[in-house]
Amino acid sequence: MAKWGQYTGDQIEDVFNKLESGGGIERFRRGELVLVEKERKVSASGLANGGVTYTTGINEGLFKADWEKHLLEVYGITIDLAGVSMPQSRSGFGWGVVRLQELPAQQMFEILTRRFNGRTRKWCDDIDKNLDQTFEVRTTVNGPYVIWCRDRIEADEELKNLSANNLVERGTNCMTALERIMLEGWFHWKTSGGGHLDIKNITLCAGSRWSGGNVPGASWYDKFYVYRYYVDYRNDDVRAREAVSLP
């Protein structure tokens, strides 16, 4: 966590001014937000993670309490995550996603559509009906689960210009469509309704497939979009998000 002594008074004032409207000051003080100096100036909006992450070495209790609050406030779901097992943390993977059986993709999308004031679009009528459930690399059949991913607004640069077929060949554990939708809702909530993911690029959700064999993708370009791509499609701005999960 950042220490006040390493910043000037003007820099600290600048941090508070930028976070005041987003309600981030108290979360910063509690250690739920971490700000990192970049180019000698502290600016949440200029950081790869938007200034939002968990403290180094994810605190399991803090993480679960955060997601319990998120699920209640955004989706109206009351749940105790105390018994949910968590993957081992990995350096650079500072965000987590909780998936619940009670919250299918289409329901999430509809709730987020209202939260985003109607600013969403998807290629199909019902996401769950159009996903190939047999392909999903992770499901909630055995209950809730947690994954870690890189704490970045943009999808992983390390995985740019790789198709879904390439990622399967490499054995890369990738985020699913449901996890990506869940992450969008969490980040928007965590930034007090001001933040979105993949502003410049697109997350290729290579852990999922549509029923026709295409691959889901998601991004924010004035709206939250859910797309589809051919399994061999590759481009610099279409990037998967690597996931750390339990076996």
Side-chain angles (χ1 to χ4, degrees):
M1 181 174 173
K3 293 181 173 59
W4 292 120
Q6 73 188 77
Y7 303 124
T8 67
D10 289 340
Q11 286 175 327
I12 293 171
E13 183 179 359
D14 181 65
V15 172
F16 274 36
N17 288 339
K18 283 183 170 62
L19 292 180
E20 185 99 33
S21 60
I25 295 175
E26 288 305 316
R27 295 204 303 278
F28 181 87
R29 286 173 175 160
R30 293 195 301 268
E32 296 175 23
L33 299 182
V34 175
L35 300 180
V36 180
E37 188 175 21
K38 181 181 181 182
E39 297 179 353
R40 300 178 64 187
K41 190 171 183 65
V42 182
S43 173
S45 61
L47 299 176
N49 61 17
V52 179
T53 190
Y54 296 100
T55 53
T56 302
I58 293 176
N59 179 291
E60 181 172 332
L62 176 63
F63 172 83
K64 290 182 177 180
D66 183 65
W67 270 83
E68 286 171 2
K69 184 177 180 182
H70 166 62
L71 291 165
L72 178 61
E73 292 186 358
V74 176
Y75 300 104
I77 294 176
T78 301
I79 189 168
D80 182 357
L81 298 174
V84 177
S85 299
M86 299 179 44
Q88 185 174 354
S89 60
R90 178 173 160 189
S91 177
F93 288 68
W95 286 349
V97 176
V98 175
R99 281 286 301 120
L100 305 178
Q101 191 172 35
E102 301 91 330
L103 199 55
Q106 183 62 29
Q107 183 179 341
M108 277 194 292
F109 193 89
E110 291 171 359
I111 290 172
L112 293 182
T113 296
R114 294 192 291 272
R115 187 173 179 85
F116 300 163
N117 297 315
R119 296 167 66 186
T120 62
R121 182 174 295 178
K122 51 186 171 62
W123 75 272
C124 59
D125 291 333
D126 189 301
I127 296 174
D128 297 295
K129 290 180 180 178
N130 283 275
L131 281 174
D132 181 353
Q133 302 297 336
T134 65
F135 186 92
E136 293 290 294
V137 296
R138 281 172 296 279
T139 71
T140 56
V141 171
N142 295 319
Y145 69 82
V146 174
I147 66 160
W148 305 132
C149 61
R150 290 185 172 92
D151 51 331
R152 299 177 185 168
I153 290 175
E154 300 298 330
D156 298 357
E157 186 174 2
E158 295 86 345
L159 301 179
K160 67 182 180 182
N161 204 28
L162 292 172
S163 70
N165 282 341
N166 295 150
L167 292 161
V168 169
E169 291 170 2
R170 288 164 53 113
T172 305
N173 185 13
C174 295
M175 185 175 284
T176 69
L178 284 83
E179 292 161 359
R180 174 60 181 82
I181 295 170
M182 201 75 176
L183 187 65
E184 183 78 24
W186 172 81
F187 187 75
H188 185 263
W189 169 81
K190 195 73 173 174
T191 54
S192 299
H196 293 283
L197 304 173
D198 291 305
I199 310 299
K200 300 177 182 178
N201 301 291
I202 297 164
T203 292
L204 185 69
C205 305
S208 298
R209 293 289 185 275
W210 297 115
S211 55
N214 291 334
V215 188
S219 71
W220 178 272
Y221 183 70
D222 190 49
K223 292 182 177 69
F224 180 50
Y225 287 87
V226 174
Y227 311 86
R228 53 179 174 169
Y229 292 93
Y230 293 120
V231 292
D232 58 354
Y233 180 79
R234 51 191 289 179
N235 201 11
D236 280 356
D237 65 351
V238 179
R239 310 167 179 191
R241 289 181 185 261
E242 187 174 357
V244 177
S245 62
L246 291 173

